[in-house]
Amino acid sequence: MKRSAPTLGKDLTGLESLSPEQIRVILDTAEPFKEVSERQIKKVPVLRGKTIVNLFFEASTRTRISFEFAEKRLAADTVNIGAVGSSVSKGETLVDTARNLEAMRIDMVVIRHWSAGAAHFLASRIPSNVINAGDGAHEHPTQGLLDMLTLRDHFGRIEGLKVCIVGDVLHSRVARSNIYGLVALGAKVAVCAPRTLLPAGIEELGVRVFGRVEQAIEWSDALNVLRLQLERMQDGFVPSLREYNRVFGITRERLEWAPREMLILHPGPMNRGVEIDSDVADGPHSVILRQVTNGVAVRMAVLYLLTGDAPDLAEMARSGGAGRA
Amino acid sequence: MTAADSTVLMDDVAVRRAVGRMAHEILEKLGGTEHLVLMGIQRRGVDLADMIRDAITDAEGADVQTGTLDITLYRDDLMALGPRPVVGRTLLPRGGVDGVAVVLVDDVLYTGRTARAALNELMDWGRPARILLCVLVDRGDRELPIQPDIVGREFPVLTDRRVDVLVPRLDGELAVVLSQLERR
Amino acid sequence: MSRLLIRGGRVIDPGHGVDLQGDVLVDDGRIVAVAQLLAPDSAEVLDARGLVVCPGFVDPHAHLCEPGWEHRETIATGAAAAAAGGYTSVCAMPDTDPPVDDPASVGFIVAAGRRAKGARVFPAAAVSAGRKGEHLTEFGEVVDAGAIAVTDAGRAIASSKLMRLALEYARSFDIPVLSHPEDADLARDGVMHEGVVSTRLGLKGKPSAAEEIGASRDLALAAATGGRLHLQRVSTAVAAARIRQAKECGVNVTAEVTAHHLLLAHEVVASYGTEFKVDPPLRTRDDTRALCAALADGTIDCIATDHAPRHYDEKEQAFDDAPFGAVGFETTFAVLHTHLVVTGKLELATLIERMSTGPRTALGLARGTLQPGEPADIVLLDPEARWTIDPGAFLSKCRNTPFAGKQVTGKVVRTLVGGRTVRDASGSPRAASAP
């Protein structure tokens, strides 16, 4: 009579390796967790006694706080480690940092790192659960999931939905996670950016490419607008921010041409007046704050589901430790 | 669902009769439907709560608020399970649970651990004025000091047996059956 | 020194079209005769039945890491590892710390090479002082000290003017300029081939165009100057095609390719394995096919190991942070024999030619054939032996190979340098493991 969710495995390093069923389970599990944040006492005793380390080699406010809320609302004990002022900045290698934490008997690591593959590297070397909170330009799976949850909330489905990712896909882990997740669940995915900000062979990931944002708006049900890092201009990928806004910015005037109601997502933080205008970001199309709320629920779901694959626990269950609740 | 090696303890008619009586007991104990909320514990408690609500509505002609409670995240054996159990929906009645009389409805009362989890969860939601525990079957063998307020039927059975309540929505029939506990 | 008769092997000397079942007689470190049924006289007899007897391999591109990086390799361990792979001569790259860019540092390599027991070590000196790409080193002095070539090893010469001067100036000393063909600006910060795999993994790619531009420029300058150009580690189909065209036009160019660029494509990086992080990066299947064809038709003259030992700590990092490089001495013959010769894509004699006579010619060395009077630099191969590549058994200090655990066919049994056995693996358990 007991119903179990399909397991995710030990780690969540990206959405590329997940099956559509696994992605659906995370989204479905996020639903009941949304309610927890609405309670007077915003805490459930799911991860009581578990220790989670948030290992952030790169500065991040939004993602780290969202993870921390998720962990705390599941009653876990959390420790935050930033690169600045820790042994990491004294030249300790990633694997040594991880092994030291492991020696202190932690249960999970949430890692943000500037190098693509860092989460995968860590996951293959320590027995704790590892969650990727962004690795270089590779993946940011929980962001992809929260974007999908937000789309599903609004449209009631992912399959068949037309989603266009607009902006700096070349350097974006958010773009990759969205592409893998959305394509897996049957959405139609497109990208739109100046060619200088699109990576080689992007079409082979199953997406179509729009050269102009007007075409993207005409085609899409939803736009996921990526942040344009100001360094990109210095690196010469775009000639100027003014031109970027004029040609690729999401403005109210452009959205007025949309043939259907359009949803606007943005992973934040926004550069208002560059990739997105304020009256769009704050307007009726925008679900940017709903994304933030969903972020906590999705991360709670991931934390909850990953604890199911801790090997020692599975062993206990086999030996009959579980009684009837 | 009713396999050859299982015995029917209560058939459709017997369950309906018990539910009708339980509905009246609730009204009696609480003196009416005002400030009454029926909270079914996922999954089959939800069906029983709906049946009780219908019985109360039939008797009193008044609407009764219901909600559902999923106690998965409050299980004391959660970390000892292998793959994560599916988390069901918790739906609070409009207006929450503060100051109301909550009737927790479940199918079978056994160790008392589910009721403990439900009580904890309810407390995290707010501060009910009163909580009653209402079960269709009490099979005894409590592991915690918890007793029901309203019981459909008592069946003291051995620990190597299992008692299941079947409901039409999930099982295609309404009954209480006794069977041998599968050993794995 | 005593006489040695290597008897009953299949003698292949591709430089002179020799492929016969017979004997090789060595006296006083030099080859005396190659023929069928030589009389043993008073010579020690080495039974080579079932084995291939051929010129020792010559590696035009190896990093021996000394001075400065002795935790990776030393000249002694490098020379021994090279001998284990059948190499009797290796050209040591100057990207040491400090770099080999003056007569004293060349002399250090030469002296350390003489002391080492294994392959002969020939230093290449830097093209530019400090490998900074600014001013030419004193080619005349480094050649007098023993350098056989100049190269900035692993660093492309960004300035076309400097490259032109190097090719011109090297003509005076008849040495080749070994060039890493790459447009550094275009390849900057790239860690793998730019393509769908780098896109999927979120890693910065080096586009093929970076190598194509570098190769095209170098070939244009070689044509213009008449200098001896040797292109290192060719990895793209287009660069191979450019070399073919240039050779048809009579440009004085030679080129090398590594085993990993011939056999592996970028898909193997899929799980961020740093053992596959090499420079230039592993390219596409189309490229590997084109490189194999270019090797077969002689467009690419020689096989290099690009032996680049990296300590396990250095490779035990995220892909971006790990250094480029793979060891190659002890695997190159076996993996190429397995995947090119056993599969019928390449004649055994051609593989031997590209590993001995080809690099010998490119570097202008007087070694690498089995002609009477030549130094007896000889390798004995067992083409049937099957074994598994076990990095733990390497003589190199480092284990960073992309071929770990691979089943291979073909094995170096014995390596002789100047008639002396410097490596004898005939009694090792690896040989015995043949079914």
Side-chain angles (χ1 to χ4, degrees):
Chain A
M1 290 260 219
K2 216 177 286 168
R3 297 178 309 153
S4 298
T7 60
L8 297 185
K10 182 173 87 69
D11 313 295
L12 180 68
T13 56
L15 299 188
E16 189 183 12
S17 56
L18 295 191
S19 68
E21 288 68 35
Q22 286 172 315
I23 294 172
R24 261 182 229 118
V25 163
I26 300 173
L27 298 181
D28 291 347
T29 306
E31 293 294 342
F33 282 111
K34 283 181 188 169
E35 298 153 5
V36 175
S37 298
E38 305 299 328
R39 302 182 184 189
Q40 286 188 356
I41 297 172
K42 296 175 179 55
K43 194 177 280 243
V44 288
V46 168
L47 299 180
R48 203 170 44 184
K50 298 273 167 197
T51 313
I52 303 179
V53 174
N54 299 313
L55 188 56
F56 277 63
F57 289 84
E58 249 182 11
S60 155
T61 309
R62 190 174 300 243
T63 303
R64 188 179 55 73
I65 289 177
S66 180
F67 265 108
E68 211 176 330
F69 273 135
E71 291 154 3
K72 292 196 159 145
R73 286 176 188 174
L74 296 177
D77 297 312
T78 65
V79 175
N80 294 320
I81 301 176
V84 181
S86 72
S87 53
V88 174
S89 57
K90 293 174 194 149
E92 187 175 73
T93 65
L94 177 55
V95 74
D96 280 341
T97 305
R99 284 187 184 138
N100 275 289
L101 293 171
E102 200 73 38
M104 290 185 240
R105 300 291 176 262
I106 57 159
D107 299 291
M108 283 194 187
V109 180
V110 176
I111 179 175
R112 157 74 60 96
H113 199 278
W114 58 78
S115 288
H120 180 276
F121 175 87
L122 193 64
S124 60
R125 280 162 181 81
I126 63 171
S128 303
N129 305 107
V130 172
I131 299 176
N132 184 4
D135 61 332
H138 177 224
E139 281 221 47
H140 190 353
T142 55
Q143 178 72 45
L145 289 164
L146 75 90
D147 290 345
M148 291 164 75
L149 185 64
T150 308
L151 288 168
R152 202 176 72 166
D153 283 353
H154 185 86
F155 293 100
R157 69 192 160 92
I158 298 285
E159 200 181 344
L161 218 55
K162 291 177 177 168
V163 183
C164 184
I165 300 162
V166 184
D168 184 3
V169 176
L170 180 64
H171 300 94
S172 175
R173 49 195 171 216
V174 175
R176 285 169 180 76
S177 287
N178 264 283
I179 290 169
Y180 299 138
L182 288 167
V183 168
L185 293 199
K188 297 191 176 80
V189 185
V191 293
C192 175
R195 271 285 172 181
T196 50
L197 292 175
L198 290 179
I202 184 76
E203 295 90 347
E204 291 178 54
L205 301 186
V207 304
R208 61 185 296 176
V209 175
F210 290 115
R212 299 302 293 259
V213 78
E214 290 81 3
Q215 301 166 322
I217 288 172
E218 184 164 348
W219 177 84
S220 305
D221 296 313
L223 299 180
N224 199 339
V225 186
L226 301 174
R227 172 182 169 78
L228 184 76
Q229 308 264 4
L230 302 183
E231 304 92 272
R232 302 300 170 229
M233 192 193 61
Q234 284 141 27
D235 295 345
F237 288 99
V238 289
S240 75
L241 295 182
R242 195 192 54 204
E243 169 155 299
Y244 185 86
N245 179 254
R246 193 169 288 173
V247 182
F248 291 95
I250 304 302
T251 62
R252 201 186 53 197
E253 295 73 40
R254 287 214 165 91
L255 287 183
E256 277 165 8
W257 288 96
R260 61 189 80 82
E261 194 196 346
M262 172 83 63
L263 209 65
I264 304 292
L265 296 90
H266 192 298
M270 288 182 278
N271 288 315
R272 289 169 183 261
V274 182
E275 73 270 3
I276 189 165
D277 277 4
S278 284
D279 48 5
V280 174
D282 305 328
H285 304 291
S286 165
V287 285
I288 294 169
L289 292 176
R290 233 180 295 161
Q291 287 174 273
V292 177
T293 308
N294 280 345
V296 178
V298 152
R299 289 174 179 122
M300 289 170 85
V302 168
L303 290 162
Y304 168 72
L305 291 168
L306 284 184
T307 56
D309 208 59
D312 52 335
L313 301 178
E315 185 55 46
M316 274 175 66
R318 264 196 299 282
S319 63
R324 194 191 148 106
Chain B
M1 185 77 192
T2 35
D5 58 346
S6 62
T7 318
V8 176
L9 297 177
M10 295 171 79
D11 61 10
D12 187 289
V13 176
V15 173
R16 285 185 197 285
R17 233 175 248 149
V19 166
R21 180 175 51 75
M22 289 157 73
H24 285 285
E25 271 188 56
I26 290 167
L27 289 172
E28 226 172 84
K29 275 199 172 13
L30 298 177
T33 56
E34 211 185 342
H35 306 306
L36 164 63
V37 170
L38 291 167
M39 295 282 284
I41 296 176
Q42 292 276 18
R43 298 159 71 207
R44 287 172 180 75
V46 174
D47 299 83
L48 290 171
D50 286 346
M51 289 172 66
I52 292 173
R53 182 199 54 206
D54 293 347
I56 291 176
T57 309
D58 283 351
E60 300 279 301
D63 267 354
V64 178
Q65 292 218 66
T66 57
T68 65
L69 205 57
D70 183 281
I71 57 98
T72 306
L73 303 176
Y74 288 79
R75 292 171 65 145
D76 55 10
D77 61 349
L78 186 59
M79 283 302 127
L81 303 171
R84 301 294 76 196
V86 173
V87 184
R89 270 189 102 76
T90 294
L91 281 176
L92 276 209
R94 261 176 296 112
V97 295
D98 284 349
V100 301
V102 174
V103 178
L104 283 174
V105 182
D106 204 1
D107 50 357
V108 179
L109 180 61
Y110 182 16
T111 62
R113 289 178 191 272
T114 300
R116 193 281 308 161
L119 288 170
N120 277 28
E121 175 154 21
L122 216 45
M123 296 304 185
D124 281 359
W125 279 105
R127 188 179 184 278
R130 186 174 181 183
I131 301 175
L132 295 181
L133 179 59
C134 168
V135 297
L136 180 63
V137 175
D138 179 1
R139 59 167 290 185
D141 275 327
R142 219 75 76 234
E143 293 171 4
L144 297 175
I146 281 173
Q147 297 309 326
D149 299 286
I150 295 145
V151 181
R153 190 87 69 87
E154 286 182 26
F155 289 110
V157 297
L158 298 172
T159 50
D160 64 346
R161 304 293 163 85
R162 57 180 297 159
V163 177
D164 288 306
V165 173
L166 310 182
V167 296
R169 178 176 65 99
L170 299 168
D171 312 301
E173 62 180 304
L174 184 64
V176 177
V177 297
L178 175 74
S179 58
Q180 199 71 29
L181 192 63
E182 308 141 39
R183 283 264 164 234
R184 281 205 278 169
Chain C
M1 193 184 278
S2 62
R3 289 156 69 87
L4 177 70
L5 183 66
I6 304 168
R7 195 171 201 188
R10 177 184 169 195
V11 181
I12 300 179
D13 184 5
H16 296 86
V18 174
D19 188 347
L20 55 81
Q21 207 68 37
D23 308 340
V24 177
L25 185 62
V26 174
D27 191 10
D28 199 20
R30 289 184 181 272
I31 290 164
V32 175
V34 175
Q36 283 169 326
L37 293 174
L38 289 166
D41 293 341
S42 57
E44 184 192 337
V45 175
L46 195 59
D47 183 3
R49 278 174 301 176
L51 302 181
V52 169
V53 181
C54 64
F57 301 147
V58 176
D59 185 4
H61 190 153
H63 303 266
L64 301 185
C65 306
E66 187 181 352
W69 304 91
E70 289 84 354
H71 66 289
R72 291 174 169 175
E73 198 83 283
T74 62
I75 289 168
T77 58
Y87 289 92
T88 52
S89 296
V90 301
C91 180
M93 292 297 110
D95 56 340
T96 49
D97 185 20
V100 177
D101 62 355
D102 61 15
S105 50
V106 172
F108 169 82
I109 307 288
V110 171
R114 286 213 183 100
R115 281 195 302 275
K117 291 175 184 64
R120 304 174 198 264
V121 177
F122 296 93
V127 167
S128 63
R131 296 172 60 234
K132 289 188 183 136
E134 290 162 6
H135 306 288
L136 292 183
T137 50
E138 293 95 342
F139 289 7
E141 291 189 10
V142 295
V143 167
D144 284 348
I148 58 161
V150 287
T151 175
D152 272 357
R155 207 176 276 174
I157 294 165
S159 159
S160 300
K161 182 183 163 199
L162 187 75
M163 186 65 189
R164 172 201 167 150
L165 293 174
L167 284 163
E168 286 173 339
Y169 193 52
R171 288 191 67 176
S172 302
F173 311 98
D174 195 26
I175 52 168
V177 177
L178 321 181
S179 173
H180 171 53
E182 184 174 85
D183 184 310
D185 202 21
L186 203 51
R188 182 159 302 126
D189 299 332
V191 294
M192 69 173 295
H193 173 64
E194 182 182 291
V196 69
V197 181
S198 69
T199 292
R200 276 184 40 228
L201 296 176
L203 292 170
K204 180 137 170 44
K206 285 190 174 196
S208 294
E211 176 172 303
E212 294 158 14
I213 292 167
S216 300
R217 181 202 70 171
D218 288 354
L219 290 166
L221 291 173
T225 61
R228 271 175 67 189
L229 173 68
H230 175 76
L231 291 177
Q232 297 177 300
R233 307 181 299 189
V234 175
S235 71
T236 62
V238 172
R242 297 271 182 281
I243 294 165
R244 189 176 290 119
Q245 288 162 4
K247 284 189 164 182
E248 283 163 7
C249 299
V251 177
N252 194 354
V253 60
T254 54
E256 67 182 36
V257 64
T258 71
H260 43 268
H261 288 114
L262 286 167
L263 302 180
L264 301 174
H266 62 156
E267 287 86 359
V268 295
V269 184
S271 56
Y272 296 101
T274 56
E275 67 271 32
F276 301 113
K277 183 172 174 182
V278 289
D279 190 31
L282 302 174
R283 305 279 184 189
T284 67
R285 276 281 153 225
D286 286 343
D287 290 305
T288 62
R289 269 192 292 273
L291 292 172
C292 287
L295 181 73
D297 72 15
T299 299
I300 292 176
D301 309 81
C302 48
I303 288 157
T305 63
D306 188 17
H307 180 79
R310 301 290 180 253
H311 198 255
Y312 80 90
D313 272 353
E314 300 175 276
K315 283 286 190 180
E316 183 74 353
Q317 297 193 69
F319 199 87
D320 274 335
D321 306 326
F324 291 104
V327 293
F329 284 150
E330 296 167 77
T331 52
T332 294
F333 170 73
V335 295
L336 292 178
H337 184 261
T338 305
H339 294 284
L340 299 184
V341 177
V342 174
T343 56
K345 292 177 189 158
L346 199 69
E347 292 294 320
L348 176 60
T350 310
L351 177 64
I352 292 169
E353 198 280 335
R354 303 290 187 266
M355 292 184 75
S356 55
T357 319
R360 168 189 179 269
T361 312
L363 295 174
L365 285 175
R367 290 171 179 84
T369 80
L370 295 183
Q371 286 301 293
E374 290 270 333
D377 289 3
I378 300 170
V379 61
L380 273 59
L381 309 168
D382 181 348
E384 307 291 334
R386 298 178 62 176
W387 56 290
T388 303
I389 293 174
D390 169 18
F394 285 172
L395 297 190
S396 169
K397 278 191 168 186
C398 290
R399 321 253 173 273
N400 54 304
T401 171
F403 300 111
K406 294 282 181 244
Q407 284 276 342
V408 286
T409 304
K411 186 171 180 302
V412 174
V413 175
R414 187 184 283 261
T415 308
L416 297 98
V417 172
R420 262 217 317 257
T421 296
V422 293
R423 166 70 174 178
D424 178 5
S426 55
S428 82
R430 284 199 321 215
S433 73

